[in-house]
Amino acid sequence: MSEIKISTVKTKSDLMRFIKFQWKIYDGEPYWVPPLIMDRKKLLSKDKNPFFKHGDAEYFLAEINGELVGRIAAIRNDLHNKYHHDKVGFFGFFECINDQQVANALFDAAKNWLKARGFNAMRGPANPSSNDEYAMLIEGFNDSPRILMNYNPPYYINLCENYGFKKAKDLYAYSLEYDKVVSSDKVRRVAEIAQKRTGIKITSLNMKDFKNELLKVKYIYNKAWALNWGFVPMTDEEIDAAAKDLKPLAEPSLVLFGEINNQLVGFALVMLDYSQVFKEMNGHLFPFNFIKLYTKKKNITWARIITLGIIPEFQKKGLDAVFYWEIVNRAAKLGIFKGEASWILEDNDMMNRGAQALNAEVYKKYRVWEISI
């Protein structure tokens, strides 16, 4: 085999090659959803992505005889290490031809970069953190990913295992169907009881007061998920940036807040699955594809429950059932009868039991890999 050359991204041209390499890997793949190139450039930009205020990354390219055959990022996340008191580095944005030697060279490049910075383990994929696209698809390849979820070829599993990666954690994606959810007497009953006992009031996003609504998200987000494995708090700047990106796509009736006696206790972010629209754009929003965000919206058939969190002191009171009941009925009014709840940690018993009570089924699994370095 010809020599594998590993180089780092240094120029705008290199970065564009890094981004566009996905089109080579997924050429002819019907289930892949091309990312918007402008979004990828912003995500990878150390000037524009607020992640890089507390992190760093090196982007690597693999070539054989001048032809691009793989890419990977080595990622330092200071906020993760501070929060978890560990020395875990990350890899992300991994794409590779079906060749173990190429994969090994890429993993080695990321590993060596992290090792030189004092890390003792490499975990991923994180693009670039657990607050972004996270983990590798290991089951459910015969379907396109929902919005902000990953897709990858099945052979990536072998490339990781053969390199020596072990499972750190599996993440579940549940499919929900309106008819199955509303037929669940248990969910309806728990929701009704919780509503009566707590007096919880569910309100939806007020777009006219977006700035103050965002303050509510900031209050809840880092409280509700604080104890989850792999959780990394989002900075105010990161939440602001995410909100700015998602605001044009937000469906206000599906962004929900829960209050008890005027105290915020929970939050749910549900997005229409715009991946179904992005699929037709081939990475380009302009000059005319942005119109599809409006004209094709009526064709969207799925929604994704991205986050649903209750602050710790109000957990185990059935409030999640109240949120789920609201979500499925509000989505149905929009003509959306299918949903994905993702991702949920494999050992998050409370959330898994809640999903199962909805007659939901695990239909996709994702894996976070780890290796000692």
Side-chain angles (χ1 to χ4, degrees), residues 169-182:
K169 193 75 71 176
D170 281 355
L171 317 178
Y172 293 163
Y174 284 88
S175 66
L176 300 91
E177 293 182 24
Y178 174 78
D179 290 342
K180 290 182 179 179
V181 174
V182 297

Side-chain angles (χ1 to χ4, degrees), residues 174-193:
Y174 284 88
S175 66
L176 300 91
E177 293 182 24
Y178 174 78
D179 290 342
K180 290 182 179 179
V181 174
V182 297
S183 69
S184 171
D185 289 334
K186 182 178 180 181
V187 177
R188 184 190 289 108
R189 193 166 62 249
V190 171
E192 288 175 353
I193 292 170

Side-chain angles (χ1 to χ4, degrees), residues 105-171:
L106 288 165
F107 290 138
D108 280 347
K111 180 182 73 175
N112 292 336
W113 189 89
L114 293 169
K115 195 171 184 178
R117 283 153 183 80
F119 295 104
N120 57 27
M122 179 166 71
R123 183 184 296 170
N127 300 344
S129 83
S130 58
N131 292 315
D132 300 284
E133 294 170 357
Y134 193 49
M136 181 178 289
L137 183 68
I138 60 167
E139 288 183 22
F141 294 96
N142 59 343
D143 182 38
S144 292
R146 307 279 83 85
I147 188 168
L148 299 176
M149 292 297 283
N150 278 331
Y151 187 85
N152 51 264
Y155 67 79
Y156 280 16
I157 300 169
N158 290 333
L159 295 181
C160 287
E161 288 179 339
N162 291 339
Y163 185 73
F165 278 106
K166 304 296 182 185
K167 181 182 91 167
K169 193 75 71 176
D170 281 355
L171 317 178

Side-chain angles (χ1 to χ4, degrees), residues 38 65 109 117 139 208 302 354:
M38 60 183 287
N65 296 327
R117 283 153 183 80
E139 288 183 22
K208 293 180 180 177
W302 283 75

Side-chain angles (χ1 to χ4, degrees), residues 103 106 113 122 196 209 230-231 243 300 345:
L106 288 165
W113 189 89
M122 179 166 71
K196 287 177 182 176
D209 195 21
F231 172 78
I300 294 174
L345 293 166

